[in-house]
Amino acid sequence: AGGWRSDLTLDQWTLSADLSYSKGKRDEQNAELTALAAGAVSLNDVAIDIGADGVSHFTPSIDYGDPSQVPLTENWGRGGRSSLPKVDDEMKAVQLSASRAFDGVFKSLDFGASYSERTKDMDRGEVYYYLNNGHAPVVLGSGDLHRPSSIGFVGIPSVISFRFNRVLDEYYTSGVPAALDQQPGRRWGVDEKVTRGFAKLNFDWPGTDERVRGNLGVQYVRTDQSSTGYAWSGELTQVKGGKKYDDVLPSLNVAVDVARNAVVRLGIAKEMARPNMEDMRAGFSASVSSGVPYTWSGSGGNPELEPWRATAVDLSAEYYFNKHSYLAAAIFNKDLDTFVYDQKVDYDFTGIPNTSPNDPVSPIGQMTRPANGKGGYVKGIELSTVLDAGLISSSLEGIGLVASYSHTKSSLHEQNNPAKPLDGLSGDVGSIILYYEQHGFSARIGERFRSRFTTTTRNQFGDNQASAILGEKIVDAQVGYSFTEGMLSGLSILLQANNLTDEPYRTSVGITVGGDNPTALLPERYNTYGRQFLLGVSYKF
């Protein structure tokens, strides 16, 4: 990544030019080989727990650490696989702007234009592995290829583990590329060009009783997006798509000093947020139904997907006790004009090869893809404060509390299903910090919390999957000292301890039983990362 900015000041004018460029490239391998129990396994003693600890327990009827009982075996039509994601992501941008200062109520005018272009290419190719010796199961031989590992925390004292690459070389054929029907959704490119013009007028009116200040602005945004991908309907076909659209985004921000230490702020704006680039991919899988009436159906991305759009109103009131302490409350509401969620939409499959023996009644069928919905809201409240104990007594100055809390709710749900909350939305988020800062010494300890939320993650195959991230509370602490005089003046030392309670990261996933059932959750991940300690030294001169 790199950037260059130049400013030129001419009397009451300031001219600016800003250039930036960034490029990211990723190559990775996510591989697996399969070892299965040679005989029947009893499932009489299984405990699935999504309670306080979030850990399931299983008492096995065989020794999973014994390679003779758990041979390498092919399953799902293969002995193993490697997913080989390759991602190229490039962004370049230029912005030219100017600012003119004025005397009077209107203080300055800022205006300009920008252009940005982003391209992202994804290739999540896969290769499959097959056992030598006619695909027959193989018992790992003695030596250093394998050893047992303990996962006793779930009740299994040992499980076989092995050196992946050495076992792969000795017992398997070389990788065979995945079938062509796996290409849609895993190979695609998206190009996004955005042209923007903007202007903002800043004002400050002292008034007789209340000071009023703020700005009035507008943006014009022109988006040109396109994508390439692959469609599968018994044979592989390259497909393209895209869309151009315009947005006008006005905004108003006002702050009013209603009293000596009190401020009321109001913000009103048209807002937009772009969808995930993967959602804008071209490419899908399609087929004709086997039963009458014969109809087309498919699933994939949507290169014509438009952004989230909303009219947002934010109102806050702040009271400042002194320069160290304040209390604030805010409410916010976003009325959504458009939003994004997976849904079934009518789609014209004209031109897509039909390799089935059935003749569909119409080229119009149902496509499951990300699409724009209309209407809905996201709204909530926010409370925050900084309280220094010096408000009680000057002898307590430097001891204090920092706290915040927000509660958010929305009428939107994933796939229009009330049991699936909006992606990424936590109903309750907050933090509380106790601190001491005096005479160069500082210490603080705090806890931040977030309630359960649903979000899109990658599963073991690299595909998108909805997971419920369970609520968590993280405790951090730090202590430091800054020398302000003597030969060590300018030296600061800081010791930090993160995640003091070793809070686990826990997720759950929905299961499908006769249809989508997001309320039937099973534990998915239970990860602990330990505590982190950081020691830093800085010197200013």
Side-chain angles (χ1 to χ4, degrees):
W4 180 277
R5 179 183 173 93
S6 292
D7 295 316
L8 176 64
T9 301
L10 299 171
D11 194 18
Q12 293 180 311
W13 285 89
T14 299
L15 307 178
S16 300
D18 202 330
L19 306 174
S20 63
Y21 175 82
S22 64
K23 182 176 178 64
K25 184 175 182 179
R26 185 178 76 193
D27 285 317
E28 65 177 274
Q29 180 180 17
N30 176 15
E32 63 180 31
L33 297 175
T34 303
L36 296 176
V41 178
S42 170
L43 295 178
N44 292 330
D45 190 3
V46 178
I48 296 177
D49 180 16
I50 56 174
D53 67 350
V55 180
S56 301
H57 300 273
F58 171 52
T59 303
S61 59
I62 68 169
D63 181 4
Y64 280 98
D66 181 358
S68 66
Q69 297 189 59
V70 189
L72 300 173
T73 309
E74 291 189 0
N75 197 23
W76 298 296
R78 60 181 184 263
R81 57 175 280 281
S82 276
S83 177
L84 305 166
K86 300 181 184 297
V87 183
D88 285 301
D89 200 339
E90 183 180 38
M91 178 178 285
K92 44 196 173 186
V94 58
Q95 177 172 298
L96 302 175
S97 60
S99 179
R100 171 69 159 85
F102 302 103
D103 296 325
V105 173
F106 298 106
K107 295 300 181 182
S108 64
L109 174 65
D110 306 322
F111 60 94
S114 67
Y115 174 81
S116 66
E117 182 172 347
R118 182 182 180 186
T119 58
K120 185 171 184 177
D121 296 296
M122 167 76 79
D123 186 346
R124 291 194 289 116
E126 287 191 352
V127 295
Y128 296 156
Y129 307 117
Y130 299 93
L131 284 164
N132 298 325
N133 193 29
H135 306 280
V138 175
V139 174
L140 285 173
S142 60
D144 62 349
L145 286 180
H146 65 86
R147 67 180 182 186
S149 295
S150 173
I151 50 175
F153 65 93
V154 296
I156 303 177
S158 67
V159 63
I160 188 172
S161 62
F162 46 82
R163 299 181 184 274
F164 181 89
N165 288 323
R166 291 185 58 183
V167 169
L168 181 65
D169 292 340
E170 184 165 339
Y171 295 104
Y172 291 83
T173 61
S174 58
V176 178
L180 293 177
D181 63 357
Q182 300 297 308
Q183 302 300 322
R186 294 184 175 178
R187 292 176 59 193
W188 51 266
V190 173
D191 183 64
E192 186 180 67
K193 301 180 179 72
V194 180
T195 304
R196 182 176 69 106
F198 60 90
K200 182 176 68 172
L201 181 63
N202 301 292
F203 57 86
D204 192 337
W205 180 37
T208 55
D209 297 315
E210 300 88 8
R211 178 188 175 196
V212 180
R213 60 194 185 279
N215 57 68
L216 175 66
V218 65
Q219 297 183 75
Y220 167 76
V221 183
R222 171 71 167 172
T223 302
D224 181 358
Q225 64 192 40
S226 59
S227 176
T228 58
Y230 292 90
W232 174 260
S233 60
E235 63 181 67
L236 200 62
T237 307
Q238 189 175 51
V239 293
K240 299 180 180 180
K243 192 169 188 177
K244 298 178 181 179
Y245 53 86
D246 304 287
D247 287 278
V248 177
L249 308 173
S251 64
L252 172 66
N253 293 285
V254 180
V256 182
D257 295 331
V258 295
R260 178 181 176 85
N261 296 320
V263 181
V264 174
R265 302 181 190 273
L266 172 67
I268 304 173
K270 284 278 191 180
E271 300 177 339
M272 63 180 290
R274 302 192 184 285
N276 188 310
M277 292 196 81
E278 185 168 359
D279 289 342
M280 295 190 293
R281 72 188 187 278
F284 54 85
S285 297
S287 62
V288 175
S289 62
S290 58
V292 292
Y294 302 127
T295 57
W296 278 104
S297 64
S299 63
N302 185 358
E304 298 182 0
L305 193 62
E306 296 193 27
W308 296 66
R309 296 187 178 98
T311 300
V313 179
D314 296 84
L315 179 65
S316 68
E318 306 160 9
Y319 184 80
Y320 296 85
F321 300 98
N322 55 34
K323 64 180 181 179
H324 300 299
S325 303
Y326 80 92
L327 180 65
I331 58 174
F332 59 88
N333 183 81
K334 297 180 186 295
D335 283 322
L336 293 161
D337 301 315
T338 63
F339 59 94
V340 177
Y341 72 101
D342 286 343
Q343 55 184 293
K344 291 183 178 181
V345 298
D346 291 336
Y347 186 82
D348 187 352
F349 290 88
T350 299
I352 302 301
N354 177 16
T355 59
S356 78
N358 305 322
D359 187 18
V361 295
S362 168
I364 306 299
Q366 291 280 294
M367 177 76 77
T368 301
R369 65 192 324 197
N372 291 110
K374 297 184 180 296
Y377 65 82
V378 176
K379 61 184 178 182
I381 61 170
E382 296 177 342
L383 303 172
S384 62
T385 186
V386 176
L387 297 175
D388 192 285
L391 292 171
I392 302 173
S393 170
S394 59
S395 62
L396 299 176
E397 189 171 332
I399 301 173
L401 168 75
V402 180
S404 65
Y405 169 76
S406 67
H407 176 73
T408 307
K409 62 180 181 179
S410 173
S411 63
L412 306 182
H413 303 88
E414 290 299 303
Q415 299 177 11
N416 211 25
N417 185 334
K420 291 187 174 183
L422 184 65
D423 192 292
L425 178 66
S426 283
D428 299 286
V429 177
S431 66
I432 183 168
I433 299 171
L434 298 175
Y435 71 85
Y436 174 78
E437 294 180 353
Q438 198 70 280
H439 309 300
F441 180 81
S442 65
R444 57 179 56 202
I445 184 170
E447 178 184 271
R448 63 184 188 275
F449 63 90
R450 180 174 184 175
S451 63
R452 176 187 180 276
F453 64 99
T454 301
T455 190
T456 301
T457 61
R458 297 284 188 185
N459 63 18
Q460 66 269 33
F461 302 108
D463 297 320
N464 287 339
Q465 168 185 280
S467 293
I469 315 299
L470 304 189
E472 63 180 7
K473 297 179 180 180
I474 307 295
V475 179
D476 302 321
Q478 69 178 45
V479 61
Y481 187 79
S482 297
F483 295 89
T484 57
E485 57 185 25
M487 62 181 299
L488 296 179
S489 178
L491 178 68
S492 297
I493 302 173
L494 180 66
L495 174 63
Q496 294 176 291
N498 298 328
N499 195 19
L500 281 174
T501 58
D502 194 14
E503 181 78 356
Y505 171 78
R506 300 172 298 154
T507 71
S508 297
V509 293
I511 60 175
T512 300
V513 180
D516 193 23
N517 183 13
T519 61
L521 292 177
L522 292 177
E524 180 192 23
R525 292 186 178 93
Y526 186 97
N527 296 339
T528 56
Y529 299 96
R531 301 161 183 84
Q532 183 184 59
F533 297 92
L534 304 172
L535 177 64
V537 178
S538 63
Y539 182 71
K540 297 179 181 180
F541 57 90

